[in-house]
């Protein structure tokens, strides 16, 4: 209770909720009018020919949709698949890219970045970290989204209050789970997603198919919970595909869409009466939602009528009976917009960059340690290290074998981190888009937390392999030689990881990025100087962009010096620098090699950051015309 009271004192634009609310229910009421919302996208059909040239064909997704939702109301948007209800929900939530025609306001104000603090948006898929517990998931969200004026203890109190409100206290210490990891139930996972949005005490909550994939009992509990939130003064808007009759009558208002056009907007209790007056009444008792969906598909009680004719008749009836009355109501509302609701130029971020970085670092390391040190991955590296150590057992004095061991270590440090890193951003794209769209943190704080958090976990297994194979392989016993092999190899791990991050961020397709990574790394290995010593001049430049070449050269310098000799015949010794495999690469210049590796590490990570910005995960937005 105390934590939430502190939160309200730091937000002067709030009002007390009424009825059915817990301590986490201090928020600013919001009414949502939307008028003549039109959204079009380019069609995949060939462009239309005109006298002045060609004109791209446009497909209408939303066609003049109007409506209003007041505080304390719960609006359900119904319609068959492809009707545009999810597009409309995304547009109302300010997350639809592209240009919109129409007028969407929040208490008379256009959507702005500060509006994100008062809006909760729950996507259809529950995008959560599977290894975190329910309590940890809500705590980290609270630390990122609640204002900096609250302490960590106070934010944890808000998270506890939300868990109690949504009935999650019983599973607070259970992990979220996923497709291959047993965790909480689907209904509990959905309530966790709702709880993440409830932490900010939203005035307005959007939910996309909150009952999708749930049994009827769990769906009833979810909608009942949302109804309690609405009764407390919040505005709730959701899409729902096929609710039961019990759920249907829990909604205050219903919007029925068909191919982007509205067929009905009004109270749920009067929907059947409205269509009966139009001559569309079910011949047998049935679920109102099923009947409305049949009408949206053009299926009337009289099956002899063409579906397109039914749809056109219902669109015309909407325009004659509902649209004009609704527009008059919207005009009256616009005249009485309270001046109190104007934004007061709030800060763009609720927390500092450093706070975002530390929370994301802590959360990321707790989540990814399970993957980084999985039994399968540890067993893979241990088995590889022991096998290589036995193959190169005490190879001291066998110069060709030692060169081969150096190149094996080099290749491992190139291949191993590359493919782990490729999966990073494609797998986290959905959760990154979700959290960034809510304005939780800066892209730079996420990227730095990911980079710093991955380093210690990416280093542990390579350090183990290098250490085991170095000493089992009988390489130079001096500490300086060992560390001159180890540290550049770890730098190579960071370079290869950066390349994997860049490929994953720039492509965002696992199959394509993996293929590209394989081709690049094989190219780097073939040009690294071990397999081919006389590379044709027109492709010899490849080695200068190869991480393997620089690592291999530094490794040779760690083991050999220009003055070393080896037995090249009976009673004869030759200079190591003249050995063909070494001469092709050269001894010396390790400083330049390390400098090149450092430059590649920075450039690859810069490319990864730019890739994240290019794919549009910075933050979703919509532009109204």
């Amino acid at each position: 209770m105390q934590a939430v009271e502190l939160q309200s004192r730091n937000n002067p634009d709030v009002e007390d909720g009424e009825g059915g609310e817990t301590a986490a229910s201090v928020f600013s009421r919001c009414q949502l009018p939307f008028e003549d919302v039109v959204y079009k996208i380019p069609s995949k059909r060939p462009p239309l020919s005109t006298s002045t040239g060609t004109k791209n064909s446009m497909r209408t997704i939303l066609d003049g949709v109007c409506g209003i939702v007041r505080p304390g109301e719960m609006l359900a948007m119904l319609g068959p698949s492809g009707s545009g209800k999810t597009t409309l929900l995304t547009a109302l939530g300010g997350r639809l890219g592209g240009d919109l025609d129409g007028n969407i306001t929040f208490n008379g104000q256009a959507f702005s970045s500060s509006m994100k603090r008062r809006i909760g948006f729950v996507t259809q898929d529950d995008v959560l970290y599977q290894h975190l517990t329910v309590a940890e998931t809500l705590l980290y969200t609270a630390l990122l989204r609640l204002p900096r004026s609250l302490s960590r203890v106070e934010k944890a109190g808000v998270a506890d209050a939300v868990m109690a409100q949504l009935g999650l206290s019983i599973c607070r210490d259970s992990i979220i789970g996923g497709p291959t990891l047993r965790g909480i139930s689907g209904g509990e996972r959905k309530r966790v997603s709702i709880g993440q949005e409830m932490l900010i005490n939203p005035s307005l909550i959007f939910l996309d198919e909150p009952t999708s994939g749930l049994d009827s009992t769990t769906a009833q509990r979810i909608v009942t919970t949302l109804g309690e939130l609405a009764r407390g003064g919040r505005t709730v808007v959701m899409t729902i595909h096929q609710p039961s009759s019990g759920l249907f009558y829990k909604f205050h208002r219903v919007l029925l869409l068909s191919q982007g056009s509205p067929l009905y907007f009004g109270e749920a209790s009067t929907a059947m009466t409205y269509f009966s007056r139009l001559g569309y009444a079910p011949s047998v008792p049935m679920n109102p939602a099923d009947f409305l969906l049949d009408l949206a598909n053009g299926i009337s009680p009289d099956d002899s009528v063409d579906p397109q004719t039914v749809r056109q008749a219902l669109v015309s009836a909407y325009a004659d009976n509902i649209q004009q009355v609704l527009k008059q109501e919207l005009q009256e509302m616009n005249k009485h917009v309270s001046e109190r609701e104007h934004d007061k130029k709030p800060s763009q971020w609720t927390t500092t960059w450093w706070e975002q970085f530390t929370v994301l670092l802590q959360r990321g390391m707790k989540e990814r340690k399970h993957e980084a040190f999985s039994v399968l991955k540890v067993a893979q590296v241990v088995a590889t290290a022991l096998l290589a150590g036995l193959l190169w057992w005490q190879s001291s004095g066998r110069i060709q074998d030692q060169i081969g061991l150096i190149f094996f270590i080099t290749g491992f440090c190139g291949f191993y981190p590359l493919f782990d890193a490729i999966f990073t951003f494609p797998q986290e794209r959905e959760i990154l888009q979700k959290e960034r769209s809510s304005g939780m943190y800066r892209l730079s704080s996420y990227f730095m937390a990911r980079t710093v958090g991955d380093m210690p976990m990416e280093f542990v297994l390579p350090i183990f392999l290098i250490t085991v194979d170095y000493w089992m392989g009988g390489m130079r016993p001096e500490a300086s030689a060992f560390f001159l092999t180890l540290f550049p190899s770890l730098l190579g791990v960071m370079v290869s990881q950066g390349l994997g991050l860049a490929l994953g961020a720039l492509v965002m397709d696992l199959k394509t990025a993996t293929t590209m990574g394989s081709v690049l790394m094989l190219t780097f290995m073939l040009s690294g100087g071990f397999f081919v010593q006389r590379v044709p001049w027109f492709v010899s430049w490849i080695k200068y962009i190869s991480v393997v070449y620089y690592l291999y050269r530094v490794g040779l310098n760690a083991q050999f010096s220009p003055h070393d000799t080896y037995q090249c015949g009976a009673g004869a010794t030759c200079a190591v620098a003249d050995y063909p495999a070494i001469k092709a690469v050269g001894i010396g210049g390790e400083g330049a090699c390390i400098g090149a590796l450092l430059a590649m590490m920075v450039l690859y990570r810069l490319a990864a950051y730019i890739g994240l910005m290019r794919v549009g995960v910075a933050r979703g937005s919509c532009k109204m015309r």
Side-chain angles (χ1 to χ4, degrees):
M1 177 74 74
Q2 181 183 6
V4 180
E5 289 174 352
L6 285 170
Q7 181 181 354
S8 66
R9 287 200 296 268
N10 285 280
N11 184 358
D13 290 334
V14 297
E15 299 174 0
D16 292 335
E18 298 176 2
E21 296 297 316
T22 69
S25 58
V26 182
F27 55 91
S28 175
R29 295 172 181 266
C30 179
Q31 54 187 3
L32 173 67
F34 49 98
E35 184 175 3
D36 294 330
V37 178
V38 177
Y39 182 66
K40 297 181 180 181
I41 61 173
S43 176
K44 293 183 178 180
R45 292 178 297 179
L48 301 175
S49 298
T50 65
S51 58
T52 59
T54 59
K55 180 179 180 181
N56 289 331
S57 176
M58 300 295 289
R59 178 187 173 197
T60 301
I61 305 299
L62 299 173
D63 189 9
V65 184
C66 300
I68 180 174
V69 198
R70 294 182 174 85
E73 292 183 343
M74 185 164 53
L75 169 68
M77 296 190 288
L78 299 176
S81 299
S83 61
K85 56 184 184 294
T86 296
T87 303
L88 178 59
L89 185 83
T90 308
L92 297 180
R95 300 188 178 204
L96 186 63
D99 292 334
L100 285 171
D101 284 329
N103 186 31
I104 302 173
T105 59
F106 305 80
N107 287 341
Q109 300 298 303
F111 184 84
S112 62
S113 59
S114 64
M115 199 67 65
K116 293 176 182 177
R117 295 187 185 181
R118 286 179 278 168
I119 293 178
F121 197 105
V122 181
T123 58
Q124 180 176 351
D125 297 323
D126 301 316
V127 186
L128 303 166
Y129 285 114
Q130 62 180 4
H131 290 102
L132 298 182
T133 66
V134 171
E136 288 171 343
T137 299
L138 293 177
L139 174 61
Y140 287 130
T141 304
L143 293 175
L144 290 168
R145 299 191 71 175
L146 294 181
R148 70 190 72 175
S149 56
L150 298 180
S151 68
R152 185 184 180 97
V153 174
E154 291 164 345
K155 291 180 180 181
V158 176
D160 288 339
V162 169
M163 277 190 288
Q165 183 179 10
L166 297 178
L168 293 170
S169 299
I170 192 172
C171 61
R172 59 174 292 127
D173 296 322
S174 301
I175 62 172
I176 299 296
T180 60
L181 182 64
R182 186 178 180 86
I184 58 178
S185 66
E188 290 169 333
R189 191 177 293 112
K190 179 61 66 177
R191 277 182 280 161
V192 172
S193 296
I194 296 173
Q196 286 186 306
E197 305 304 317
M198 289 296 300
L199 287 168
I200 60 172
N201 292 315
S203 315
L204 179 59
I205 308 174
F206 294 100
L207 305 102
D208 188 13
E209 301 278 6
T211 62
S212 177
L214 304 179
D215 60 81
S216 59
T217 302
T218 305
Q220 185 88 9
R221 290 174 182 170
I222 293 293
V223 175
T224 299
T225 300
L226 295 172
E228 292 173 354
L229 298 177
R231 284 195 299 273
R234 290 183 174 86
T235 307
V236 180
V237 181
M238 73 176 74
T239 64
I240 193 164
H241 182 64
Q242 203 165 8
S244 65
S245 56
L247 291 184
F248 181 84
Y249 287 112
K250 286 181 177 293
F251 305 129
H252 301 96
R253 298 201 179 199
V254 169
L255 171 62
L256 179 64
L257 292 172
S258 175
Q259 298 180 19
S261 298
L263 303 184
Y264 176 77
F265 180 83
E267 296 181 5
S269 58
T270 61
M272 297 296 287
T273 303
Y274 168 77
F275 287 107
S276 295
R277 290 202 307 266
L278 298 179
Y280 299 97
S283 56
V284 295
M286 61 184 302
N287 179 357
D290 291 339
F291 180 68
L292 265 59
L293 287 174
D294 285 344
L295 293 178
N297 282 310
I299 302 173
S300 67
D302 184 2
D303 293 334
S304 62
V305 182
D306 178 67
Q308 192 62 24
T309 302
V310 173
R311 179 183 169 276
Q312 290 176 352
L314 292 175
V315 171
S316 299
Y318 172 86
D320 295 336
N321 298 291
I322 297 177
Q323 188 173 35
Q324 294 303 321
V325 176
L326 184 57
K327 286 191 174 183
Q328 291 177 3
E329 185 178 359
L330 289 168
Q331 290 174 0
E332 288 296 322
M333 174 176 293
N334 291 334
K335 294 179 182 178
H336 299 89
V337 175
S338 173
E339 296 295 331
R340 181 179 178 274
E341 296 295 338
H342 287 270
D343 290 330
K344 296 178 171 57
K345 297 181 180 179
S347 173
Q348 184 180 6
W349 303 102
T350 57
T351 53
T352 64
W353 188 96
W354 181 252
E355 289 173 326
Q356 294 170 9
F357 170 79
T358 53
V359 172
L360 290 170
L361 178 63
Q362 182 181 1
R363 184 184 71 174
M365 294 188 70
K366 182 165 288 190
E367 166 66 21
R368 289 190 293 276
K369 68 182 180 181
H370 301 278
E371 180 181 352
F373 301 117
S374 65
V375 175
L376 183 62
K377 186 170 291 188
V378 172
Q380 173 191 5
V381 175
V382 170
T384 302
L386 293 177
L387 177 61
L390 292 173
L391 289 173
W392 275 284
W393 177 258
Q394 298 302 312
S395 61
S396 177
R398 304 194 303 270
I399 188 170
Q400 182 60 41
D401 287 349
Q402 289 211 312
I403 293 173
L405 178 55
I406 293 170
F407 192 80
F408 166 76
I409 293 174
T410 297
F412 178 85
C413 293
F415 262 100
Y416 171 77
L418 174 70
F419 293 101
D420 280 347
I422 282 177
F423 285 77
T424 299
F425 295 132
Q427 287 182 338
E428 290 198 0
R429 181 178 185 176
E430 288 186 353
I431 196 166
L432 182 58
Q433 285 179 319
K434 168 192 168 184
E435 295 181 340
R436 288 280 294 153
S437 296
S438 301
M440 287 178 63
Y441 47 76
R442 300 167 177 85
L443 186 61
S444 58
S445 60
Y446 164 82
F447 187 80
M448 288 303 298
R450 181 76 210 221
T451 299
V452 174
D454 282 349
M455 284 183 186
M457 290 186 285
E458 289 290 343
F459 286 168
V460 171
L461 295 179
I463 288 174
F464 172 82
L465 181 136
I466 294 169
T467 303
V468 169
D469 288 346
Y470 189 94
W471 299 108
M472 288 183 69
M475 303 181 80
R476 289 181 61 180
E478 294 88 353
S480 59
F482 171 72
F483 288 114
L484 190 55
T485 301
L486 177 63
F487 291 139
S489 297
L490 297 181
L491 179 57
V493 168
M494 295 178 64
V495 173
S496 297
Q497 183 194 44
L499 176 59
L501 293 175
L503 289 174
L506 291 169
V507 178
M508 279 295 175
D509 179 79
L510 288 178
K511 186 176 182 180
T512 304
T514 303
T515 302
M516 292 176 63
S518 300
V519 172
L520 283 173
M521 192 52 65
L522 284 172
T523 302
F524 291 163
M525 291 192 71
L526 291 174
S527 61
F530 179 77
F531 293 112
V532 184
Q533 278 126 42
R534 293 185 179 180
V535 181
W537 64 269
F538 50 86
V539 292
S540 61
W541 58 269
I542 296 177
K543 67 182 180 182
Y544 296 113
I545 60 172
S546 169
V547 58
V548 175
Y549 169 75
Y550 294 113
L551 285 177
Y552 179 47
R553 189 169 177 179
V554 171
L556 290 178
N557 278 277
Q559 295 302 309
F560 307 109
S561 69
H563 306 293
D564 290 342
T565 60
Y566 71 99
Q567 189 171 355
C568 57
T573 58
C574 300
V576 168
D578 294 330
Y579 191 80
I582 297 178
K583 187 176 182 179
V585 177
I587 297 292
E590 59 268 27
C593 293
I594 292 176
L597 291 171
L598 289 171
M600 294 167 69
M601 180 188 69
V602 174
L603 290 175
Y604 285 149
R605 278 172 166 72
L606 181 61
Y609 186 80
I610 294 173
L612 286 180
M613 298 174 65
R614 286 184 57 209
V615 296
V617 299
R619 275 185 293 178
S621 62
C622 78
K623 185 189 299 182
M624 298 295 294
R625 287 203 303 261

